[in-house]
Amino acid sequence: MAWLVVSLSLIAIWVASFCKIFFRATSTSSKTLQKKNVMFVIAHPDDESMFFSPTINYLASNACNLHILCFSTGNADGMGSIRKDELHRACAVLKVPLQQLKILDHPNLQDGFGQLWSHDLLTEIIKEEVTNHDIHTIITFDNYGVSGHCNHRDVHRGVLKFLQTNSGRNIKAWELVSLNIFRKYFGPVDIWLSILSAKQHPSKVIIINEQPWKSFKAMAQHLSQWVWFRKLFVSFSSYTYANTLNRINA
């Protein structure tokens, strides 16, 4: 009998969480993100769909001008050209203009664990993109990089160094908060914990994904990566349903 009560309670929480998404979704303090030109700085094709899609969906629905700077083609397994095309298709789903997507294939910025990226080189490229596109806001990984991938962490440090060496530009930057293993796979239920956290830390911004089906569709464009465990990840990952962003203070 006890297991039945627990099971019904979990089902009720999941149903309530989906109701929050579809009928009463609100994003805490998200107006601070609504700047004209916003650039997402990521490491690999599929980062945008697996981790940042709630924020991309929110900003796209509020007529923000979105750019994506992807520092590699994801060529660790020799599928860089395929993954590049997949990112183009995912951006079409997410309503990011293809002319505002830049994917690099620099010899010193190759995908892979143990591939350390030069923070000076990252800073130089970020500066060029910010200047060319009059970027007002940058959104990227935090110091842990969600999964702990070294490329994600280097991207964060590149953005941080850019902010430190270009303080006069008044660029606002936000990092996607890495969650612990329990919250990371709590699915839509983590929305409640994120909202509670935002109330305790008013500087954080919570973006609830009002269109989680679009996140699934975007990730499904990455056919080379759309294997069973990533399907499970997107289904149960808290990052499919909400993003918590924290202001980066250089």
Side-chain angles (χ1 to χ4, degrees), residues 101-156:
L101 165 65
K102 183 166 186 176
I103 309 171
L104 299 180
D105 189 15
H106 194 285
N108 295 327
L109 299 173
Q110 291 299 304
D111 173 25
F113 288 101
Q115 295 286 338
L116 300 181
W117 292 355
S118 165
H119 302 161
D120 290 334
L121 176 58
L122 295 171
T123 298
E124 179 184 336
I125 295 170
I126 292 167
K127 181 179 179 179
E128 180 181 351
E129 291 301 300
V130 166
T131 301
N132 290 344
H133 302 292
D134 190 25
I135 299 298
H136 306 121
T137 301
I138 293 173
I139 300 174
T140 191
F141 293 102
D142 68 2
N143 188 51
Y144 184 70
V146 180
S147 63
H149 197 297
C150 58
N151 297 161
H152 296 181
R153 302 179 76 168
D154 282 335
V155 166
H156 168 83

Side-chain angles (χ1 to χ4, degrees), residues 44-45 72-83 105 110-112:
H44 316 112
S72 79
T73 61
N75 196 41
D77 297 320
M79 294 190 291
S81 60
I82 293 173
R83 297 193 66 186
D105 189 15
Q110 291 299 304
D111 173 25

Side-chain angles (χ1 to χ4, degrees), residues 142 144 146 177-181 183-184 190 194 238-239 244:
D142 68 2
Y144 184 70
V146 180
V177 174
S178 296
L179 303 174
N180 61 47
I181 193 68
R183 290 187 58 190
K184 186 176 181 179
D190 188 69
S194 296
S238 300
Y239 295 99
T244 299

Side-chain angles (χ1 to χ4, degrees), residues 9-60:
S9 298
L10 289 174
I11 292 172
I13 293 172
W14 271 70
V15 170
S17 301
F18 277 113
C19 287
K20 176 68 174 175
I21 291 171
F22 293 120
F23 301 113
R24 299 182 60 224
T26 56
S27 297
T28 307
S29 303
S30 52
K31 289 184 179 180
T32 58
L33 289 176
Q34 293 182 27
K35 303 299 181 181
K36 184 179 178 182
N37 298 325
V38 181
M39 183 168 72
F40 288 82
V41 182
I42 61 176
H44 316 112
D46 78 14
D47 287 346
E48 81 300 330
S49 301
M50 290 184 71
F51 308 121
F52 294 94
S53 60
T55 305
I56 293 175
N57 286 339
Y58 172 78
L59 294 176

Side-chain angles (χ1 to χ4, degrees), residues 13 17 20 28 179-201 204 206 208 238 242-244:
I13 293 172
S17 301
K20 176 68 174 175
T28 307
L179 303 174
N180 61 47
I181 193 68
F182 173 73
R183 290 187 58 190
K184 186 176 181 179
Y185 297 107
F186 217 25
V189 178
D190 188 69
I191 290 172
W192 308 104
L193 298 177
S194 296
I195 293 172
L196 179 61
S197 175
K199 289 181 178 179
Q200 295 174 342
H201 303 91
K204 291 183 177 179
I206 310 300
I208 297 176
S238 300
N243 283 164
T244 299

